Amino acid sequence: MEYQLELSFQRPEQPTLRGQPDDEAIRMIREFEPLALRNDPRGYCVYTSEGKDSRVLGHLMRRAGVRHFYIHNITGIDPPELVYFQRRIFQEYRDMGLTTYDIMYDKSMWQLMIEKKFPPLRQMRWCCAHLKEYRTAEYGSAILSLGVRKYESVRRAKSRDELEIAAHGRNNNGIIMRCENHESRRIFENCYTKSEKRLNPLAYWPDNYIWDYSHEAGLEQCCLYQEGFQRLGCIGCPLAKEAARRLEFERWPKLQAQWIRIFDKVIRLREQEGRVNEYASGQEWFEWWLGDRAQEIPIDTDQMMLEDY
Ligand code: SF4
């Protein structure tokens, strides 16, 4: 899961007047079910972290009565409270007769740090491909349905929409479209490339739609929202702002200690390879990494990055 960035951006255009947002989402989900079944007899693949958005998405799928299954990618750096919550909710889904899969990362964040010898940065996230977007046979050729919303970040406002045809499983160079446009639906239905197709029924939902729906539906949500966390996902994700990351590391200090240990280890490895180290200790490097300034440096002006990549 990714994080909410500054909200000082142009709000996405409000959907033109349609029905109630949940009715519209259910209509959209039902409309594409035949296509989902043609792609995969198990129906839609609901990609979920069991955070608030994916809880709402799953509920809409169940209300729509369409065939679907759930996939959750284990990152190894999610908050323990979310991990326990997701495990319990998946058991509830299985008790309801629904299919669930937990997909383990192919390499842990710590293995990747040893390999890359540099931490993931907002400008260069090498971890998502291994922890979040790691595709296994369980995904099959299903249409993916995600709880992504344009209101979550500037990047998502620009790059995500209700219908997506993602080139090579990533959103880069893909096609994004509104669902209400007939031509968009035609392109989505008739695209026979191997690209990943995604249906995002919550793309235009602001936060209050999510919480209103969740309350009205009586959906249980992870306890961390009651502590004031607005978005849940990888602890210390470089997409989040410094203040939010500091709060996370204060809340889960063992993970901070683990990051500092791995920075120390990478410094030693770099020394053994005769490479330049800007930082004398893991603590120093960690402090730099937490700062927003570090995250905003364009890749091609960072000397260490140039050296490494
Ligand atoms: S830490 Fe952030 S960038 Fe890395 S896998 Fe998690 S969500 Fe993706």
Side-chain angles (χ1 to χ4, degrees), residues 1-3 77 109 120 125 127-128 131-132 234 236-239:
M1 166 146 312
E2 291 166 354
Y3 287 75
I77 51 171
M109 179 65 98
R125 293 171 295 130
C127 39
C128 268
L131 309 183
K132 291 261 169 190
C234 301
C237 173
L239 283 176

Side-chain angles (χ1 to χ4, degrees), residues 1-3 75 77-78 109 112 120-122 124-133 155-156 233-240 259 289:
M1 166 146 312
E2 291 166 354
Y3 287 75
T75 67
I77 51 171
D78 276 329
M109 179 65 98
L112 289 164
L121 298 171
R122 202 173 293 160
M124 191 178 60
R125 293 171 295 130
W126 42 249
C127 39
C128 268
H130 298 272
L131 309 183
K132 291 261 169 190
E133 297 166 4
R155 190 171 51 84
R156 287 189 175 187
C234 301
I235 297 170
C237 173
L239 283 176
W259 269 109
W289 179 63

